[in-house]
Amino acid sequence: MVAQPSSQLTRKRITVRGVVQGVGFRPYAYNLAHSLHLSGYILNTSAGLLIEVEGADSAVEQFQDTLRRQPPSLSQIAEIAISEVVPRGDSAFTIQESIATNGEFAMVSSDVGTCADCWRDFSDPGNRRYGYAFTNCTNCGPRYSIVNDIPYDRRSTTMAAFQMCARCQEEYEDPADRRFHAQPNACPACGPRLALSKVGELTVRIKPPMAEVRKLLREGQILAVKGLGGFLLACDAENDAAVRRLRERKRRSEKPFALMARDVTAIKQFCRVSEADGVALTSSRRPIVVLPRNPGSNITWAVAPGNKTLGVMLPYTPLHYLLFSDSPDQPAEFTALVMTSGNLSEEPIVISNEEALHRLRDVADWFLTHNRDIYMRVDDSVIRTFACQERVLRRSRGYVPQAIDLGKPVRQVLACGAELKNTLCLTKDHYAILSQHIGDLENYETLMFFQETLGNLKKLFRVTPEAVAYDLHPRYMSSRIALELPIERKICVQHHHAHIASCMAENHLHEKVIGVAFDGTGYGSDGKIWGGEFLVADFAGFVRRAHLRYVPLPGGDAAVRQPWRMALSYLRDCFGPDPFPEALSFLHNIPDKQISVVDAMVMRGINSVQTSSCGRLFDAVASLTGIQRDVTFEGQAAIALEMAATEGIAEQYPFAINDGEPAQIDVRPMIRNIVEDLLPSRPVGEIAARFHNTIAQIILDVSSRIRKSDGLNRVCLSGGTFQNHYLLGRALDGLQENGFEVFIHAAVPPNDGGISLGQAVIANEVLQNGD
Ligand SMILES: [Zn+2]
Ligand SMILES: [Zn+2]
């Protein structure tokens, strides 16, 4: 028998998982199949992509090979499975209807900043999308913020409300076009449009000329601008009065405002931009990048009072660009605009037009809105570079819901996170899905945001948690939510254990490590407030091996707002009941009566829980040195102390470590020396530097002790204190010079935004060991 020609044909079924939808995968596969003369089909499933290709052996081989080696640039392939199937004799390669399967999950892409091709369309007067605020393609545009279900198709997004015009439809159906199956595809004829209205007036101007919008900003007006993941409040960053008014209206205490500039050249006028910063700024994620501020620019200090850094981002949609100029060949009308979340104080970012008109009416003067709904609220992300690498401080737009590969199979678990900078986390397959920044769980709106995010992520990723993890703190709102959820299995996790576990998970560590968890507040297993902790930990458990010596936290939360209380607490710990050296000036601005009340609290231990918090030690020193008296947000005093520290100082203060189990780190010798340094008024910059060096030395000394006793050489540094780059740099150098292998955070925040990930991996360990 002579073999039939068809027997030389091969047909393969390829399933691809990972971030493969909404990233131009189908047109890519279509074009690749055509160039290799293959037939078959591709479709989106709830699990990812299903491809079947049929043709000559070598061509099929080449198809697989190219798919692995050069996938679409925005995609992230987690897994490819290939099996041989019987050839069917298809005549062509087609893109087929998506199918939804229960229980599966695909990874929804995060929102992507406008790509270079779309900037070209937007800037070309001959292009039909010239100046169009909603220009996007398969390589860029809204994703997570507009998707309400999987598979990712137009009908599952808020673009479903817009009927494509004939020309857009043509692009959408043409596999050779960049907008082939670009779900948010739109143009001025058929897509979303802008509208401008003045607060308190009913007239709405559709498609307002952007020159007029910019004129309002130039006049110092505050605009609420509906962006990608929510409303932002915009005003001219060089207009001091406007920025002050915004700060007042937003009740934003002294927290820094983020800025947006049109391009990197503009940013260099007021900040220093390293090469790594430049890469981060221009990446498709377009985060806010924390940069060192140049003195002497025209950016008003009211943008970030007392801060030597500024958070700056570039436009990530054409709409943002239009706030600076109509096109790149016109000069930008602003060096920078304030672009801060559209919300009041600590409430979640506003997303709907109605919500904005109501909640932002006392904050904004004008509203620049549009008629495309935002489905999921997602704030701008914040990063800072360290050691030439991006470090995420707030993980939101552009990053979420990108899954974190845990490197091993996990069960389905929900972790509810901490109280401040809350995020939640779901696990499934090999992955952790960390939610966007939800915020401080201290008001009803934020709780609703938590529920909304939980519901959405459970749906998008098809997760049904079999257990819920929560923080040990009995009064955390996130713990209460966890306890009320109809999930039977509850797993309680200590805060600092979660910090170390999150650092381990991010770095794919499974064995025991030395965990250094330094932060402001976390509820300890002994009911005291921890925060200066040395643990020996793995996912299964931890032993507290050392901590900062306990001191009273006079008045609980009041001590967080008034760092001088901690200064008093440390002074009493140091000097006992004796009077302090008189020349200590830091107490001069505080009424005597307040001092004596707090002093009595400290001395008698009234209303004063014991704490080993490193954040509170920073507060005490910031106050002692007169650098910071009251704070309006957590961490403010520590930031001020870091800013004050003079570079190039190697000296440090003495301290002692006792031999207890856990060992106690006694910083009284340091406090005594700081007081002595203050009397002849040594420059505070030097004191701040010596203080930081001392903390770094403590980290090295205690880690060395643990290495000796336990034979461990890996150190994980986690907790909000390690956002301090002065300390992080010195701690890292010291440890590495002494042969330690050190792991820090990059993709996950070191602060409480990373707690939920740690809780999730610990809960998984409990489940796996329990069965
Ligand atoms: Zn594009
Ligand atoms: Zn159109």
Side-chain angles (χ1 to χ4, degrees):
M1 274 276 296
V2 179
Q4 298 292 314
S6 67
S7 69
Q8 292 160 8
L9 290 178
T10 311
R11 187 177 181 96
K12 292 256 174 94
R13 176 177 292 157
I14 306 170
T15 53
V16 190
R17 309 187 61 162
V19 182
V20 291
Q21 295 184 4
V23 292
F25 218 114
R26 289 180 298 177
Y28 158 89
Y30 179 93
N31 289 322
L32 183 60
H34 271 251
S35 70
L36 296 166
H37 306 289
L38 295 170
S39 64
Y41 67 88
I42 180 171
L43 54 83
N44 278 346
T45 68
S46 320
L49 289 171
L50 175 61
I51 309 170
E52 287 196 7
V53 279
E54 181 171 328
D57 239 357
S58 60
V60 170
E61 199 66 32
Q62 206 182 328
F63 182 91
Q64 289 168 219
D65 210 46
T66 313
L67 199 73
R68 281 184 199 279
R69 282 187 298 106
Q70 295 163 312
S73 58
L74 292 177
S75 69
Q76 289 173 34
I77 297 180
E79 199 183 311
I80 299 185
I82 302 175
S83 57
E84 185 127 12
V85 288
V86 182
R88 294 202 318 215
D90 294 342
S91 56
F93 189 91
T94 55
I95 293 174
Q96 297 190 357
E97 273 286 295
S98 304
I99 48 170
T101 17
N102 284 336
E104 296 280 11
F105 83 103
M107 290 176 196
V108 177
S109 165
S110 47
D111 300 296
V112 185
T114 307
C115 74
D117 289 329
C118 283
W119 283 127
R120 256 193 299 281
D121 290 351
F122 168 79
S123 318
D124 171 11
N127 192 290
R128 67 194 188 93
R129 290 188 176 84
Y130 177 59
Y132 182 51
F134 303 91
T135 303
N136 69 79
C137 73
T138 45
N139 299 318
C140 73
R143 298 286 188 277
Y144 179 56
S145 59
I146 61 165
V147 182
N148 55 43
D149 204 355
I150 51 167
Y152 173 67
D153 270 329
R154 190 165 173 113
R155 61 169 180 259
S156 308
T157 71
T158 60
M159 281 301 290
F162 297 89
Q163 176 82 43
M164 274 185 271
C165 69
R167 295 178 75 180
C168 285
Q169 189 71 37
E170 221 170 89
E171 294 167 339
Y172 186 84
E173 285 166 10
D174 175 5
D177 195 282
R178 201 174 90 240
R179 295 195 169 85
F180 178 63
H181 283 226
Q183 307 307 343
N185 189 26
C187 78
C190 66
R193 48 179 207 224
L194 295 170
L196 181 70
S197 61
K198 190 172 184 194
V199 171
E201 285 180 12
L202 290 174
T203 339
V204 175
R205 191 154 170 199
I206 305 296
K207 296 193 193 172
M210 287 306 288
E212 284 182 28
V213 174
R214 293 193 294 270
K215 186 163 167 268
L216 295 172
L217 287 166
R218 269 203 320 278
E219 289 165 0
Q221 306 275 308
I222 295 165
L223 260 67
V225 181
K226 187 180 188 180
L228 200 56
F231 274 79
L232 294 178
L233 289 159
C235 72
D236 182 357
E238 292 181 334
N239 185 329
D240 187 60
V243 175
R244 281 176 197 279
R245 199 164 59 244
L246 174 57
R247 189 167 287 286
E248 222 163 85
R249 289 187 188 171
K250 218 187 149 193
R251 291 180 244 146
R252 192 168 167 85
S253 58
E254 286 163 14
K255 265 193 183 175
F257 286 143
L259 300 179
M260 184 180 277
R262 196 177 66 164
D263 45 46
V264 176
T265 316
I267 297 176
K268 285 180 175 165
Q269 291 177 41
F270 56 90
C271 281
R272 287 200 303 283
V273 182
S274 72
E275 203 181 318
D277 292 330
V279 170
L281 281 165
T282 54
S283 79
S284 66
R285 301 174 188 276
R286 294 285 160 111
I288 294 170
V289 181
V290 178
L291 299 169
R293 184 177 192 160
N294 283 338
S297 78
N298 290 330
I299 304 294
T300 164
W301 276 91
V303 163
N307 240 302
K308 283 190 194 166
T309 58
L310 289 172
V312 195
M313 61 184 151
L314 292 174
Y316 46 92
T317 75
L319 169 58
H320 297 117
Y321 200 93
L322 290 167
L323 297 172
F324 294 89
S325 70
D326 278 341
S327 75
D329 31 273
Q330 292 167 10
E333 293 181 29
F334 306 96
T335 309
L337 292 170
V338 164
M339 279 289 197
T340 181
S341 301
N343 57 9
L344 274 181
S345 193
E346 300 306 323
E347 289 178 5
I349 191 166
V350 168
I351 53 171
S352 83
N353 294 351
E354 298 69 40
E355 200 185 359
L357 293 176
H358 173 67
R359 278 170 56 197
L360 300 178
R361 64 175 188 274
D362 296 328
V363 187
D365 301 309
W366 291 81
F367 289 104
L368 181 62
T369 63
H370 58 72
N371 55 342
R372 182 179 71 204
D373 287 341
I374 297 169
Y375 184 74
M376 206 56 235
R377 57 188 97 226
V378 49
D379 280 274
D380 295 315
S381 294
V382 183
I383 70 110
R384 193 169 170 193
T385 60
F386 174 83
C388 297
Q389 204 190 332
E390 181 176 312
R391 313 278 165 185
V392 175
L393 301 178
R394 181 168 82 188
R395 196 172 175 276
S396 283
R397 176 188 52 76
Y399 296 80
V400 173
Q402 193 187 313
I404 294 161
D405 188 351
L406 296 171
K408 60 171 196 172
V410 284
R411 308 265 282 265
Q412 298 193 18
V413 161
L414 161 67
C416 289
E419 185 81 342
L420 301 177
K421 301 186 170 71
N422 178 274
T423 62
L424 62 90
C425 183
L426 292 165
T427 54
K428 184 176 173 176
D429 281 12
H430 290 75
Y431 304 105
I433 300 114
L434 195 59
S435 78
Q436 68 269 43
H437 166 82
I438 292 171
D440 300 348
L441 295 178
E442 53 189 25
N443 53 55
Y444 176 77
E445 285 76 11
T446 316
L447 288 181
M448 289 301 99
F449 182 20
F450 181 99
Q451 300 289 5
E452 176 182 291
T453 307
L454 175 57
N456 193 43
L457 287 174
K458 270 169 67 182
K459 184 170 69 170
L460 285 185
F461 291 92
R462 308 283 196 254
V463 182
T464 313
E466 56 176 299
V468 56
Y470 63 101
D471 193 279
L472 180 62
H473 202 304
R475 285 199 307 277
Y476 273 7
M477 202 52 87
S478 53
S479 302
R480 284 195 222 169
I481 294 172
L483 293 171
E484 281 165 16
L485 282 171
I487 301 171
E488 211 175 297
R489 190 74 197 267
K490 319 273 188 200
I491 298 166
C492 186
V493 179
Q494 199 279 324
H495 191 91
H496 301 96
H497 185 204
H499 267 308
I500 298 307
S502 103
C503 186
M504 288 176 64
E506 182 183 346
N507 290 292
H508 289 189
L509 303 177
H510 305 288
E511 308 292 322
K512 274 197 172 70
V513 297
I514 301 169
V516 185
F518 280 10
D519 67 357
T521 304
Y523 196 79
S525 316
D526 57 0
K528 294 174 180 171
I529 302 297
W530 295 9
E533 311 304 314
F534 288 84
L535 314 178
V536 166
D538 58 13
F539 296 146
F542 73 96
V543 181
R544 190 188 195 200
R545 298 301 300 279
H547 62 87
L548 288 175
R549 188 184 137 84
Y550 283 128
V551 293
L553 182 72
D557 284 347
V560 178
R561 288 189 300 273
Q562 299 178 318
W564 64 264
R565 289 175 180 242
M566 285 314 297
L568 205 59
S569 182
Y570 267 102
L571 284 174
R572 279 285 168 235
D573 188 41
C574 198
F575 295 98
D578 303 337
F580 313 134
E582 274 172 24
L584 279 182
S585 62
F586 85 99
L587 292 167
H588 291 177
N589 299 322
I590 301 152
D592 286 346
K593 199 171 163 212
Q594 273 194 49
I595 295 176
S596 55
V597 169
V598 173
D599 202 17
M601 270 189 199
V602 173
M603 304 262 276
R604 295 188 213 131
I606 305 162
N607 193 14
S608 299
V609 57
Q610 298 275 305
T611 186
S612 56
S613 160
C614 187
R616 298 294 84 79
L617 174 58
F618 269 82
D619 286 354
V621 174
S623 176
L624 259 178
T625 50
I627 287 167
Q628 188 88 36
R629 200 184 122 205
D630 288 354
V631 297
T632 57
F633 61 92
E634 221 229 342
Q636 189 179 2
I639 291 169
L641 197 60
E642 179 190 359
M643 301 283 168
T646 312
E647 287 289 339
I649 289 182
E651 289 103 346
Q652 46 182 269
Y653 292 116
F655 58 89
I657 306 169
N658 76 10
D659 280 329
E661 191 57 53
Q664 302 219 8
I665 301 146
D666 186 350
V667 295
R668 284 176 298 183
M670 173 176 78
I671 299 291
R672 211 176 282 277
N673 273 266
I674 290 176
V675 169
E676 279 165 19
D677 274 353
L678 282 168
L679 296 181
S681 45
R682 183 187 284 274
V684 290
E686 271 178 45
I687 299 176
R690 286 176 169 207
F691 167 73
H692 279 84
N693 296 342
T694 312
I695 302 297
Q697 188 65 46
I698 288 173
I699 292 171
L700 175 60
D701 286 4
V702 178
S703 299
S704 301
R705 280 176 158 232
I706 300 174
R707 172 162 67 184
K708 213 167 158 194
S709 59
D710 294 57
L712 298 173
N713 197 47
R714 290 179 160 176
V715 181
C716 285
L717 304 178
S718 189
T721 301
F722 290 108
Q723 294 173 104
N724 180 325
H725 283 193
Y726 194 104
L727 175 65
L728 180 62
R730 274 153 190 80
L732 201 61
D733 287 351
L735 288 165
Q736 285 173 340
E737 279 162 21
N738 284 277
F740 284 99
E741 229 186 313
V742 190
F743 298 87
I744 61 174
H745 289 279
V748 176
N751 57 47
D752 283 3
I755 285 284
S756 61
L757 172 63
Q759 292 172 342
V761 288
I762 290 169
N764 256 289
E765 194 71 18
V766 171
L767 289 181
Q768 263 149 14
N769 291 343
D771 297 355

